[in-house]
Amino acid sequence: MLIFIKLVLAHLIGDFILQPTRWVLHKQSNKIKSKFLYLHVLLHFALYMLFLWDLSLWKIALIVAIAHFVIDVLKLYSNNSFKNKSIPFFIDQILHILVVYSCAFYTDLYTHTLSLFENLDWYLVTAIVFVTYPAAIIMGMILEGMSNQIETDHKSLPNAGKYIGIIERLFVLIFIVIGRWEVIGLLIAAKSVFRFNDLKERNNRKLTEYILIGTLVSFGLAILAGLLYIS
């Protein structure tokens, strides 16, 4: 499981945190001719090697990186076949995780105990990384069809909603880890109070439902990560 967690962590960082939007757009436009496709795969290979921290495991890193390339290419060429863009996204991520799990499953992880961060809680680090940008992107995919139906005339800070969501999920994860579930209820109540006046003035049912669904999904992802960690 340790190798699997390290590879998943490397994948989350490489696919969500260290991949700029311009890389994604360039890959979508140029597909297999995109230079950023190869740079993206090379970055993944480097991250796999960094987190595994064992040169004898280079074959695992190489296999996962090549599989990542193949899966990404298939996604680029099949993306237009789906009306709902969240479907190829989730299929792509599931395939990546399956490849990582398969490689980790067939590796004798007990013979590779030396690690640069052997005392680091990899499970907690992975949970923390997941509730930040990966969870934000997953939420965006889930709520994409609903956001197009919301009409708002108010101005907000750039990416404010995304960062608020990241912070609240980090708080939820921390409270679960330290066993203070009651504080999560207070956090939900506090957020509801801040939103109440805005929703009351606008009297927009769709906006209210959209915010409620987004809040529940956000808290749900954080709670899921917390439960997986403490279990």
Side-chain angles (χ1 to χ4, degrees):
M1 284 298 295
L2 183 57
I3 288 181
F4 173 67
I5 291 299
K6 288 182 178 182
L7 291 175
V8 169
L9 177 58
H11 171 75
L12 292 175
I13 293 175
D15 239 23
F16 296 98
I17 297 179
L18 298 183
Q19 182 173 210
T21 303
R22 63 188 182 91
W23 286 21
V24 177
L25 295 177
H26 193 275
K27 288 193 299 180
Q28 290 175 350
S29 299
N30 298 276
K31 295 181 173 54
I32 200 169
K33 295 181 180 180
S34 173
K35 61 181 179 180
F36 293 119
L37 172 62
Y38 301 94
L39 184 59
H40 176 67
V41 174
L42 182 62
L43 175 62
H44 270 271
F45 176 75
L47 287 170
Y48 296 145
M49 291 301 298
L50 175 63
F51 286 111
L52 289 174
W53 202 253
D54 189 338
L55 291 177
S56 66
L57 298 177
W58 68 270
K59 291 182 180 179
I60 296 177
L62 182 61
I63 291 172
V64 178
I66 293 174
H68 193 104
F69 172 80
V70 173
I71 294 171
D72 276 12
V73 169
L74 291 175
K75 179 189 174 185
L76 289 172
Y77 283 95
S78 62
N79 208 32
N80 293 331
S81 301
F82 297 89
K83 292 182 179 180
N84 188 342
K85 299 305 179 184
S86 62
I87 294 178
F89 167 79
F90 285 112
I91 292 176
D92 172 79
Q93 293 302 314
I94 291 172
L95 289 176
H96 286 315
I97 298 302
L98 286 176
V99 169
V100 167
Y101 179 79
S102 298
C103 290
F105 182 80
Y106 290 104
T107 302
D108 185 6
L109 60 91
Y110 296 105
T111 62
H112 306 287
T113 56
L114 295 179
S115 171
L116 178 64
F117 312 113
E118 61 180 8
N119 295 321
L120 188 64
D121 190 338
W122 290 97
Y123 299 95
L124 181 58
V125 173
T126 303
I128 291 173
V129 171
F130 172 75
V131 300
T132 56
Y133 287 95
I137 293 175
I138 291 173
M139 283 190 59
M141 291 291 179
I142 294 175
L143 301 175
E144 182 179 11
M146 302 178 191
S147 61
N148 297 329
Q149 303 179 36
I150 305 299
E151 297 180 1
T152 58
D153 56 356
H154 66 284
K155 296 181 179 179
S156 61
L157 296 174
N159 297 318
K162 178 174 70 176
Y163 295 126
I164 291 172
I166 290 174
I167 293 171
E168 74 181 17
R169 287 191 295 275
L170 286 172
F171 276 129
V172 171
L173 179 62
I174 291 171
F175 294 143
I176 292 175
V177 171
I178 64 178
R180 300 301 300 271
W181 285 85
E182 67 277 8
V183 185
I184 299 176
L186 293 176
L187 186 62
I188 296 175
K191 184 175 182 180
S192 300
V193 170
F194 283 121
R195 283 288 190 180
F196 177 76
N197 287 333
D198 187 42
L199 294 174
K200 182 180 178 182
E201 292 176 1
R202 299 185 183 283
N203 194 26
N204 188 329
R205 182 170 181 175
K206 285 187 177 180
L207 179 60
T208 303
E209 293 172 342
Y210 177 77
I211 292 176
L212 180 59
I213 293 172
T215 299
L216 292 176
V217 172
S218 179
F219 277 79
L221 290 173
I223 291 173
L224 176 62
L227 289 175
L228 289 175
Y229 170 73
I230 63 178
S231 62

